[in-house]
Amino acid sequence: MVQIVISSKAGEGPAEWLLVELQGEMVSRQNTGLAGNLMGDLHYTKEGVPVLVVGHHILYGKQVKLEKPFAVLMKHSGLPQDEEENMETNQENPTSYTVSALIKKKLIFKTRPKPIITNVPKKV
Amino acid sequence: SAKYCPILTNHKSMESLFIHLIIRGDKDEHAVLCNEDETYDLKIADTSNLLLFVPGCKTPDQLPDISASPQLVHAQIWGFSNCYWELRRQRPRLKKLKKLLMENPYDGPAVGMQEEAPGPKYTMDDLLERIQASREEIEAHLQNVHACEIDGFWRILDFDYEMKLLGHVTQLVDSESWSFSKVPLSVCLEELGSLEPKSMIEHCLNCYGRRYSNEDGQVIYALDEDKVCRATAQLLLQNAVKFNLSEFQEVWQQSVPEGMSARLDQLRGLALLDRSSKPETISLLRIEDLPEDTLERFNSLFSLREKWTQDDIEPYIQDLCGEKQTTGALLTKHARSSVQNGVKVYNSRRPIAT
């Protein structure tokens, strides 16, 4: 049988992250992949309402406390990157996880994105 | 490379959940997550929504009141996911524990110069490697099955040997005319130490009695009538498939120590009464001999008997209840009810070969 240990950093507890939940799929404009790209701008109104601007869309959301908090785990396989995982036989480099962060609240954007029209021709 | 996996927890206190966590499982088992005293099922859940993880991103309540010009803060999305693991508290899978220990039960010290016959033996660490449960749950179950640690290995006693030890104790109590609630440890060890190892005598007292100290600081035991009678019943019942109920009750009462009362309610989860047959009968049916999985357990019970009253079936399904679940709810889910002779009975939802 396998036993995989999950530990948290000694000393301070894990960091707290924020979860942003969106309906639908995020794609990059030229299909270049998401990594390294700017996703959008997150604003908060004076009332604390989160507003997300992605491309030429605007989404309104709300902040929700998670009834069941999340924990984000980082997997450490102890193996060099290109080797295949074989948990059963690997006693010297057992897989383990560490708790990277806890997530207790999220910003959820459920409303339909509205296009932002910035260039309205005006009659001069 | 580091891979991330969010886990959804529903633990009351998140921080305390992460003190000491282990995922356990064999190749053919579902993984479970254990901390010191609880066991959780790990299941993948997915969502059609996109979940983005943003370290350090602040929410309005965490931002200072900005009356001056707006500020731009760069935040990086660390990653995203469509799925996560969900934790659900569940009863630990402990049937394997007794099965492992029964590979090599202990039936007393080796005779003469011989060493004990070879056989598999397990330390606590060995058990933690093999059983999908938390340490505390394993320790509690070891106590339930009357296992003891001998030379660093956890051993279950051969039942006949266990009854032999109990017999020595109850005979001594009788010959000394002690009250059942005032059995002194030191005298037991002195008088019985020549018959069996002292550690075994003490283990027997721990299993069948409650340990306390009297005013003089002596260690005393109060024998548990229910446990003693129940073990005696098992000794009798395991010798035959079925017994005539009234005959059994007579023999049983005569077999228990004089002064103790043998009552049928002591046998819940150990024996099954058949009040519909003439004469009424009783047979051995131990809950630990039944399957651990809920569906398999119900199938097994319904193949033994087609219709059950709630009172009869309850002791055999009690341990299947989830957190805040009642046996009534379990029966509603897994059985069909009907009324027979004015009594509510339950039968299987699907055809069972009897």
Side-chain angles (χ1 to χ4, degrees), chain A residues 67-69, chain B residues 8-12 14 40 87-89:
Chain A
E67 224 180 75
K68 296 186 190 180
Chain B
L8 185 73
T9 74
N10 57 352
H11 200 262
K12 326 165 261 288
M14 277 280 291
Y40 294 82
L87 291 184
R88 245 175 269 163
R89 177 85 194 271

Side-chain angles (χ1 to χ4, degrees), chain A residues 1-4 6 17-23 44 63 68-71 73 75 88 102 104-105, chain B residues 3-9 14-15 21-27 49-50 52 54 58-60 129:
Chain A
M1 181 175 83
V2 177
Q3 286 199 87
I4 302 170
I6 304 176
W17 288 4
L18 185 66
L19 180 68
V20 176
E21 190 172 339
L22 304 174
Q23 281 182 339
Y44 295 109
Q63 182 181 331
K68 296 186 190 180
F70 274 109
L73 303 191
K75 185 173 181 177
E88 292 303 329
L102 295 182
K104 299 186 192 172
K105 50 193 173 189
Chain B
K3 276 200 240 162
Y4 53 86
C5 341
I7 284 189
L8 185 73
T9 74
M14 277 280 291
E15 277 73 28
L21 286 185
I22 306 235
I23 297 178
R24 297 196 160 109
D26 251 324
K27 250 193 306 215
N49 289 358
L50 184 65
L52 299 168
V54 195
K58 292 199 199 312
T59 49
E129 279 281 320

Side-chain angles (χ1 to χ4, degrees), chain A residues 72-91:
Chain A
V72 182
L73 303 191
M74 187 90 82
K75 185 173 181 177
H76 305 281
S77 63
L79 288 167
Q81 221 155 329
D82 43 20
E83 249 184 69
E84 230 175 73
E85 284 256 347
N86 188 346
M87 294 213 289
E88 292 303 329
T89 60
N90 210 339
Q91 289 300 344

Side-chain angles (χ1 to χ4, degrees), chain B residues 109-176:
Chain B
V111 177
M113 294 298 288
Q114 284 174 319
E115 286 217 350
E116 202 194 331
K121 289 197 269 207
Y122 301 92
T123 60
M124 178 54 95
D125 282 341
D126 292 331
L127 294 174
L128 285 166
E129 279 281 320
R130 311 284 295 262
I131 312 290
Q132 286 188 295
S134 66
R135 178 185 285 265
E136 273 187 35
E137 285 162 334
I138 292 178
E139 283 171 354
H141 196 60
L142 284 169
Q143 255 199 356
N144 287 346
V145 301
H146 295 171
C148 60
E149 207 172 1
I150 301 174
D151 296 333
F153 296 100
W154 281 93
R155 308 294 299 278
I156 199 170
L157 266 54
D158 171 81
F159 186 65
D160 289 339
Y161 180 62
E162 187 171 317
M163 293 310 291
K164 190 168 145 194
L165 292 167
L166 182 61
H168 287 319
V169 170
T170 53
Q171 275 161 35
L172 185 64
V173 170
D174 188 53
S175 65
E176 298 282 328

